[in-house]
Amino acid sequence: MAASLGQGVASSGEYGATEATAPPVQEAMAGALPPRSPSDTPRPLDEPAAAQKYYGEWAFSTFGCCVDPMNCCFFTFCFPCALVLRVASIVEKVGTMHAPIFGAIDSSNACLYGSLAFLFAWLGCFPYVLFVYVIYKGLRARFAIREGDATSFCKVCCLSCCTWIQVGRHVDAYSQALVGPASV
């Protein structure tokens, strides 16, 4: 009689004793892809090389908000205005962005979404956090940034202002790279 995988065969002499068997081997799921390296990140071919470096990972850290005291103070002391202006600015600079739930977000409806962000912030925590998470996830998809959903959600819940500043700085730098160096 053959034992099935993971079950031991009773050894002779002792009641209930089994022989050790090898643990089951973990196999990769069919169709599973290995994680991408930064060089594998899809980038638009029609953008300058300077702008392409903004794909695959954030250009600034979450706590980089302390490096930008003007925006930090603006978000701290004038949150409603800063929120509406930042959402509109991000959408205007990125162009059309596809966000879960909201669909296509572009410059024609950027102020509407900025006002929605303010309304959601006024209504309470959950609608606002959901809104910020959806916009954040849309930007992650737009720039093919590798970051887990749980990490993103924690950033949005616990560090909302820092997250807005990080995303805004990333988009500002990307937009500047598209234009090229300023000529004097």
Side-chain angles (χ1 to χ4, degrees):
M1 178 193 300
S4 63
L5 183 64
Q7 295 179 343
V9 178
S11 54
S12 58
E14 294 184 37
Y15 178 74
T18 59
E19 293 178 11
T21 58
V25 176
Q26 182 177 359
E27 295 181 19
M29 292 178 23
L33 299 173
R36 289 190 216 168
S37 68
S39 62
D40 294 342
T41 303
R43 293 174 168 89
L45 299 175
D46 59 340
E47 292 183 354
Q52 290 186 10
K53 74 177 185 176
Y54 293 97
Y55 287 85
E57 59 186 31
W58 293 112
F60 303 96
S61 73
T62 304
F63 295 108
C65 60
C66 299
V67 175
D68 190 1
M70 182 70 96
N71 274 327
C72 198
C73 288
F74 191 43
F75 265 92
T76 302
F77 299 113
C78 193
F79 182 73
C81 297
L83 185 61
V84 172
L85 292 174
R86 190 40 119 177
V87 170
S89 169
I90 287 170
V91 171
E92 188 177 300
K93 290 178 181 178
V94 167
T96 302
M97 173 179 67
H98 297 281
I101 300 174
F102 297 123
I105 300 174
D106 57 15
S107 60
S108 68
N109 56 14
C111 283
L112 169 71
Y113 285 115
S115 300
L116 273 176
F118 171 68
L119 177 67
F120 288 149
W122 183 73
L123 286 175
C125 183
F126 184 72
Y128 170 71
V129 167
L130 180 64
F131 176 81
V132 175
Y133 178 73
V134 166
I135 296 294
Y136 190 83
K137 191 167 176 144
L139 283 167
R140 266 187 26 213
R142 167 68 172 81
F143 289 105
I145 293 175
R146 295 172 309 278
E147 183 176 81
D149 288 338
T151 302
S152 296
F153 191 75
C154 287
K155 282 174 146 180
V156 165
C157 282
C158 301
L159 305 164
S160 180
C161 287
C162 293
T163 301
W164 277 116
I165 292 170
Q166 174 195 23
V167 167
R169 290 179 71 204
H170 183 89
V171 170
D172 289 345
Y174 167 76
S175 177
Q176 184 64 34
L178 281 178
V179 174
S183 53
V184 179

